[in-house]
Amino acid sequence: MDVMEKPGVPELLSAVHRLTAQRAGEPVCGTRGHSPGHTCLVPPAGVGLPDLQEAVGSRFGEPRGLVAGGSVDPAASARSGLPLLTPFGGRVVEMRAWAYGDRWIGCGTARAADGDVRPVVLVAAREDPAAGMPEPASWVERIVAVTGWDTPRVRTVDWAAVEARLGTALPGDYKRLVEIFGGEGAFDGFLRLQVPDAPSAGSDIVRHTEWLGEWARTRGGGLWEPYPVYPAPGGVLQWAGTEQADQVYWLTDGPDPDRWPVLAQEDVPDSWRRFDGSTGEFVHRLLTDPGHPFSTARHFDVHWYQSYGTPS
């Protein structure tokens, strides 16, 4: 049976969704002895930890590991989900964490007073990871700060091979974002990068670029007018998209990729928006500037990166 079909699982996810609604105030727990700042949920009877984690992950992406076999990750902090452990003291046996706006979602097991190890699911308050921090120097560092991302998880990419297949160098900000954030994922669950070696062709920057170029060559480039489609000289090259089917491109106009402007197109004709700044600046302003045409700051005060996994 699919985990989403198991009794109680849809209801549990509905409760998680309600508790992660933005600007909903401080969560409060009804469990005796638990302080404010979180809400414990009742896991469905007969549903084990792997199924619970799969169900939560199906909506919120790849989790971060906080506790395994009773051992807390030494690097665990408020930026990586530590508030999820507070209600249980040292009784947590397993815990995985997902960030979503100003909330942490936790799923794991804890030892009860009678000694039994039982599943636990909770939602806890998440502080703004960028609050009180000095402003970093680069746009990419600012994105890391505002999302609270774990920078030790750096991916190695053979950029020489990627750029050889594409036939062009790529902006340095984009390459650093892929390396730091590790692969497929979406900023604020909204802006999704296209990355090398993604499992699906639509998310793979090389295969998708080849596909768009072939489409424009054989069927015409009317969908992208007034711009040509790469590899045509000065053509548009897509590097991201949104959950609302908007597409984000570079205008490959000039020999220096770091100076390419960003062009974004809504899923309607003749809706191009031009951004004369770097890739990193575009992403940071999308997250933090309510005046950005594709802003998530109008909906979220606290930001995150929702990982879908790193290509092998």
Side-chain angles (χ1 to χ4, degrees):
M1 178 186 296
D2 184 271
V3 65
M4 298 303 297
E5 298 175 354
K6 294 190 174 183
V9 170
E11 291 78 8
L12 175 68
L13 286 183
S14 293
V16 171
H17 291 159
R18 289 194 298 272
L19 290 167
T20 53
Q22 300 305 290
R23 301 161 187 158
E26 184 179 28
V28 177
C29 189
T31 304
R32 173 181 277 184
H34 283 199
S35 59
H38 77 282
T39 300
C40 287
L41 299 169
V42 179
V47 180
L49 181 59
D51 282 344
L52 289 172
Q53 292 177 343
E54 180 184 342
V56 176
S58 69
R59 171 59 182 85
F60 297 99
E62 291 284 318
R64 307 179 185 202
L66 285 181
V67 183
S71 298
V72 180
D73 181 350
S77 68
R79 286 171 59 88
S80 59
L82 198 58
L84 294 167
L85 308 185
T86 303
F88 310 103
R91 297 181 289 111
V92 178
V93 179
E94 304 285 338
M95 185 64 71
R96 301 291 181 270
W98 293 261
Y100 185 85
D102 60 0
R103 295 288 188 262
W104 286 110
I105 304 157
C107 183
T109 57
R111 198 172 301 280
D114 60 8
D116 285 349
V117 176
R118 299 171 184 170
V120 293
V121 180
L122 70 159
V123 174
R126 177 176 178 248
E127 296 181 0
D128 185 347
M133 293 184 63
E135 189 170 277
S138 74
W139 290 112
V140 171
E141 289 170 347
R142 294 182 193 186
I143 296 166
V144 171
V146 80
T147 58
W149 189 246
D150 244 347
T151 54
R153 296 190 266 182
V154 177
R155 177 187 173 198
T156 300
V157 179
D158 186 348
W159 289 114
V162 171
E163 292 172 331
R165 281 193 63 184
L166 286 171
T168 180
L170 295 172
D173 274 9
Y174 163 79
K175 292 191 285 189
R176 193 61 182 145
L177 286 173
V178 172
E179 291 167 351
I180 290 175
F181 289 89
E184 284 197 276
F187 295 98
D188 280 2
F190 177 71
L191 182 74
R192 184 165 183 162
L193 296 179
Q194 292 183 340
V195 300
D197 302 318
S200 65
S203 299
D204 187 297
I205 190 169
V206 174
R207 287 182 287 164
H208 188 67
T209 297
E210 291 170 345
W211 180 82
L212 282 185
E214 181 64 14
W215 173 284
R217 187 184 69 80
T218 59
R219 306 189 188 187
L223 295 173
W224 296 272
E225 289 180 348
Y227 304 102
V229 176
Y230 185 84
V236 290
L237 195 166
Q238 187 173 356
W239 60 272
T242 76
E243 295 300 311
Q244 296 178 350
D246 310 308
Q247 298 95 41
V248 186
Y249 302 83
W250 296 297
L251 182 63
T252 60
D253 185 16
D256 183 359
D258 291 324
R259 298 180 66 86
W260 289 345
V262 172
L263 289 172
Q265 183 184 47
E266 298 176 50
D267 193 28
V268 294
D270 195 26
S271 57
W272 290 103
R273 304 286 189 101
R274 178 174 171 131
F275 184 88
D276 287 304
S278 70
T279 303
E281 184 178 357
F282 177 88
V283 175
H284 184 267
R285 293 198 183 281
L286 178 144
L287 295 173
T288 61
D289 180 2
H292 190 288
F294 298 91
S295 174
T296 61
R298 295 190 290 267
H299 309 288
F300 299 103
D301 298 323
V302 180
H303 307 282
W304 78 104
Y305 182 73
Q306 186 164 311
S307 174
Y308 304 135
T310 302
S312 56

